[in-house]
């Protein structure tokens, strides 16, 4: 007998946003692609630069979570809400305005991550293409949350999008996208065989071309779970940093034994997620390093969120850190 | 059928948050995690063959679960050959009814620690039947007095610091017990001693069962299992069917891996019990009940396990040795202890909850708590892929599928095993 189970509404919000809008938070394609303005990346090519919209949506996730923490998820009002853009409308605010003003700075920063990543890869000699406002989210959360039936259909759309670019290699900025494209898609979309690479792997292959980053201060690496365990990419990050002449200190738990940033439970258990994020920050700070590097959008957001007020450390994405070498 | 879990999730989230702010839990967990990591690292260094042995045990367990119906029959036959009595209980009710039947009315029972006991609510059931039950494991005893459920499978009272223990004991024993661990332990020792020798029945679980010999292997440190399985005139073993492995030497390997990953290093005691106590010292006439129990019963409990065994997506969950290692490495468990759990705890616990203790409904909040971060897989001596199974179960919830949907072989297997019992 089939049982229809009602789960916390946030799960269905995320699900239907992905299915309907191609993005967990129903962002517009033009918003997702705004970072690429002026770069004139071609829509077709051998190497597809794939953001999946994940860095771009970071500032909005926090808003969604903040809103959820203040609204009873079981209430009728909540279940009426769909997507991030009308959440605050229902509470009497104008969402567009709130986001535009409060988060302009964050928005800018995370958009810049995509920009910097493309810049680095181009400078390393890769010819990138980018589908612009047609880019779709990978659907990793559909997999994560159990919506496998939806993913089966959705993945086909993503594969169509990929195929229109003619690319043979896909560079994923997010390890979550890389995981789902590399390990799950082949089971769901027969014949899907594009080569899936992470940003880290692409950089690693050309690391000799990276400009040095002048610093004597050691950094600590927070390995993302997906990257270190499912994708088995950990030494590569060390190699890259060695190539740019940056000393590394290792956390007590690292590589395959890395501690999760707590990010995955942000939607359903935000307080717990925050606690885990700060505990991981503590672990990383025990090394004495002042810069914490990671290579995953959700780790980046969770660790930043987990920093204590007045914390002296900075949390940066590997992309941002490597870009220092080019900006200098 | 419709099931609204939004309230359950909200209450559960509150409970998790409270746990993560509880100073006692945080203090105790920090100590426990550190001590687990230190001890394990040290003993792995001293016994460097352990990871290889764990790999071998993975093979043993995989085969054993595949052949579980056969091994169950063999194990039951071995127990009977050893002059014990073996039973198969297909679910919790059957297991409880069997136990109650053996024990009888108005008796006193001393009990060793057993997750299976928690799963079927053994103590509560027996108490309702008018039986006096004493948990002899120190941690369980504390919880029995505190009326709480275990917060870790091996250190059930992991969240209770000595100060609180002193309070609880002072109240129960009706005299001042200082917040001194040695004094607390001594107090319980004195109290329990009398119980062992006046109890009518001792009940224990088993960590491993060897099918060929009918040997029950029980690992412990306190010595409470020795006493509660040795002193009373009747011993009942209640054990999950997944604990059976083919041979005695397999069982030894499983036991060693279990205790190594369970932070025992070297356990104080490994009990091997295969039948009632006996002697042939007078005229070579075998007589039962020499110093130990005269009667020996084994109840093999299924309660959803064979369903798990037959589903290739989930059979690996039955390889779990209950070493508890994964929980120390779980970022959620580290801050919430057993609040991330129902009867069974942590990520692996969410799988067990779905199949044997609570169903998908109780498992759902746990399944959605798991970060699917995968560090437990690194720790697990059996490399059990919990995140993978969590994903499968989330999918089942979302699709409205139920545990055991489409399982047609169940009735047949259970029927056979029951027949074996009555013949
Ligand atoms: S899942 Fe693995 S690590 Fe966890 S208790 Fe079971 S055997 Fe031990």
């Amino acid at each position: 007998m089939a049982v229809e189970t009602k789960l916390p509404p946030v799960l269905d919000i995320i699900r239907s946003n992905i299915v309907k809008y191609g993005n967990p938070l129903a962002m517009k394609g033009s918003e997702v692609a705004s970072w690429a303005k002026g770069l004139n990346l071609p829509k077709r090519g051998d190497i597809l630069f794939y953001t999946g919209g994940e860095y771009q949506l970071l500032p909005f996730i926090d808003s969604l979570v903040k809103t959820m923490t203040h609204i009873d998820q079981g209430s009728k009002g909540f279940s009426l809400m769909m997507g991030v853009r009308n959440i605050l409308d229902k509470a009497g605010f104008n969402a567009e305005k709130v986001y535009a003003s409060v988060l302009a700075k964050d928005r800018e920063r995370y958009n810049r991550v995509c920009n910097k990543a493309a810049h680095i890869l181009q400078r390393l000699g890769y010819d990138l293409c980018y589908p612009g406002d047609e880019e779709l989210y990978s659907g990793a959360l559909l997999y994560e949350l159990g919506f496998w039936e939806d993913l089966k259909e959705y993945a086909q759309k993503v594969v169509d999008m990929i195929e229109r670019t003619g690319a043979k290699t896909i560079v994923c900025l997010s390890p979550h996208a890389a995981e789902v494209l590399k390990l799950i898609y082949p089971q769901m979309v027969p014949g899907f065989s594009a080569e899936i690479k992470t940003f880290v792997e692409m950089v690693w292959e050309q690391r000799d071309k990276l400009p040095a980053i002048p610093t004597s201060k050691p950094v600590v690496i927070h390995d993302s779970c997906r990257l270190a365990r499912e994708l088995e990419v950990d030494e590569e990050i060390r190699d890259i940093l060695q190539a740019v002449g940056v000393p590394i200190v290792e956390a007590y738990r690292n590589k395959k034994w890395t501690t999760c940033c707590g990010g995955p439970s942000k939607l359903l258990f935000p307080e717990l997620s925050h606690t885990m994020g700060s505990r991981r920050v503590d672990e990383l700070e025990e090394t004495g390093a002042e810069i914490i590097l990671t290579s995953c959008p959700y780790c980046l957001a969770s660790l930043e969120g987990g920093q204590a007020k007045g914390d002296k450390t900075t949390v940066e994405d590997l992309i941002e850190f490597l870009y220092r070498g080019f900006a200098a | 059928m419709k099931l609204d879990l939004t309230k359950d999730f909200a209450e559960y989230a509150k409970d998790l948050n409270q746990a993560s702010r509880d100073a006692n839990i945080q203090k105790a967990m920090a100590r426990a995690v550190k001590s687990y990591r230190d001890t394990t690292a040290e003993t792995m260094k001293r016994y460097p063959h352990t990871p290889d042995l764990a790999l071998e045990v993975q093979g043993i367990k995989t085969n054993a679960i595949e052949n579980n119906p056969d091994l169950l029959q063999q194990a039951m036959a071995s127990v009977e050959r050893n002059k014990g009595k073996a039973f198969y209980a297909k679910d919790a009710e059957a297991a409880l009814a069997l136990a109650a039947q053996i024990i009888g009315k108005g008796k006193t029972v001393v009990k060793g620690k057993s997750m299976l006991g928690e799963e079927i609510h053994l103590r509560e059931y027996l108490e309702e039947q008018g039986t006096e039950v004493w948990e002899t494991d120190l941690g369980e005893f504390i919880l029995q007095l505190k009326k709480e459920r275990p917060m870790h499978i091996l250190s059930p009272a992991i969240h209770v610091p000595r100060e609180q223990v002193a309070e609880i004991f002072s109240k129960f024993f009706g005299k001042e017990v200082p917040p001194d661990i040695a004094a607390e332990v001594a107090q319980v020792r004195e109290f329990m001693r009398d119980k062992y020798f006046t109890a009518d029945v001792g009940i224990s679980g088993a960590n491993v069962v060897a099918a060929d010999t009918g040997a029950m292997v029980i690992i412990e440190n306190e010595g409470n299992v020795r006493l509660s399985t040795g002193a009373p005139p009747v011993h009942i073993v209640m054990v999950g069917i997944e604990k059976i492995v083919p041979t005695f030497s397999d069982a030894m390997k499983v036991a060693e891996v279990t205790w190594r990953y369970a932070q025992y290093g070297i356990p104080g005691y490994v009990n091997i019990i295969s039948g009632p106590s006996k002697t042939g010292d007078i005229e070579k006439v075998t007589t039962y009940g020499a110093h130990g129990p005269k009667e020996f019963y084994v109840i093999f409990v299924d309660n959803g396990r064979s369903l798990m065994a037959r589903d290739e997506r989930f059979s690996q969950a039955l390889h779990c040795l209950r070493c508890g290692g994964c929980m120390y490495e779980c970022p959620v468990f580290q801050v919430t202890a057993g609040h991330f759990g129902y009867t069974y705890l942590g990520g692996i616990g969410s799988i067990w909850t779905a199949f044997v203790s609570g169903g998908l409904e109780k498992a759902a909040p746990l399944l959605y708590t798991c970060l699917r971060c995968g560090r437990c897989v690194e720790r697990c001596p059996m490399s059990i892929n919990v995140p993978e199974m969590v994903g499968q179960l989330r999918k089942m919830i979302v699709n409205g599928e139920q545990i055991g949907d489409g399982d047609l072989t169940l009735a047949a297997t259970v029927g056979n095993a029951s027949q074996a019992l009555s013949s």
Side-chain angles (χ1 to χ4, degrees), chain A residues 6 144-145 229 253 271, chain B residues 3 21 329 368 373 394:
Chain A
K6 206 164 154 225
E144 197 61 36
L145 300 175
R229 289 193 271 261
R253 281 292 189 242
E271 182 178 333
Chain B
L3 190 62
R21 290 186 221 122
E329 289 300 342
Y368 278 95
C373 78
R394 286 181 184 174

Side-chain angles (χ1 to χ4, degrees), chain B residues 27 68 83 111 234 256 274 330 362 390 401:
Chain B
K27 202 192 321 174
N68 185 263
K83 300 286 183 261
K111 187 180 157 293
V234 177
E256 182 178 352
S274 318
C330 172
K362 297 293 177 203
V390 166
E401 296 164 41

Side-chain angles (χ1 to χ4, degrees), chain A residues 245-263:
Chain A
V246 173
I248 304 164
V249 283
E250 294 288 356
Y252 170 61
R253 281 292 189 242
N254 65 355
K255 300 181 190 172
K256 282 201 168 2
W257 284 88
T258 185
T259 308
C260 178
C261 67

Side-chain angles (χ1 to χ4, degrees), chain B residues 153 319-327 348 379-382 384:
Chain B
I153 53 174
H319 302 173
C320 177
L321 307 176
R322 302 238 205 290
C323 69
C326 52
M327 295 167 208
I348 182 72
R379 176 74 288 172
C380 177
M382 298 295 100
I384 297 174

Side-chain angles (χ1 to χ4, degrees), chain B residues 3-196:
Chain B
L3 190 62
D4 187 346
L5 291 182
T6 45
K7 272 226 174 65
D8 295 51
F9 268 79
E11 272 161 31
Y12 169 71
K14 256 188 220 143
D15 185 49
L16 286 185
N17 290 342
Q18 238 159 36
S20 73
R21 290 186 221 122
D22 184 317
N24 281 340
I25 295 181
Q26 297 319 308
K27 202 192 321 174
M29 283 307 296
R31 276 185 205 156
V33 170
K34 184 169 177 346
S35 131
Y36 178 86
R37 285 173 167 174
D38 291 352
T39 322
T40 315
E42 188 200 309
T43 47
M44 291 293 171
K45 222 181 266 164
R46 195 173 323 130
Y47 306 103
H49 67 283
T50 309
D52 284 342
L53 189 61
L55 225 64
E56 196 187 334
V57 168
Q58 277 186 33
I60 293 173
K61 288 295 283 186
T62 308
N63 286 331
I65 296 303
E66 270 168 26
N67 300 318
N68 185 263
D70 284 349
L71 291 176
L72 173 62
Q73 309 248 1
Q74 272 183 47
M76 290 175 73
S78 296
V79 171
E80 297 273 344
R81 203 169 47 238
N82 298 342
K83 300 286 183 261
K85 291 250 168 306
F87 302 93
Y88 168 81
K90 79 170 192 318
D91 54 23
E93 287 79 63
L96 292 170
L98 279 166
Q101 217 179 318
I102 297 167
I103 295 167
K105 294 251 178 283
K107 301 290 170 59
T108 301
V109 168
V110 281
K111 187 180 157 293
K113 180 168 57 189
S114 147
M115 280 308 295
L116 175 69
E118 296 294 327
E119 171 188 323
I120 63 177
H121 306 291
L122 179 60
R123 172 160 44 84
E124 293 80 350
Y125 175 84
L126 293 177
E127 281 172 351
E128 271 166 30
Q129 303 263 310
T131 302
E132 185 182 319
V133 183
W134 294 104
E135 297 287 355
T136 59
D137 175 85
L138 181 57
E140 288 269 21
F141 177 64
I142 294 170
L143 296 185
Q144 178 176 15
L145 300 186
K146 216 169 169 255
K147 298 196 170 44
E148 272 182 14
R149 67 180 176 86
M151 284 293 135
H152 187 274
I153 53 174
L154 288 170
S155 315
I158 195 168
H159 58 302
V160 192
R162 73 189 74 162
E163 296 78 11
Q164 219 183 336
V165 173
E167 256 172 56
I168 297 165
F169 282 4
S170 299
K171 196 164 147 219
F172 176 73
F173 294 116
K175 65 176 188 192
E176 185 70 19
V177 179
D180 170 71
I181 298 176
E184 291 166 350
V185 172
Q187 183 61 52
V188 176
R189 178 189 164 99
E190 187 194 314
F191 173 80
M192 240 12 128
R193 214 121 275 258
D194 176 51
K195 301 292 171 206
Y196 293 126

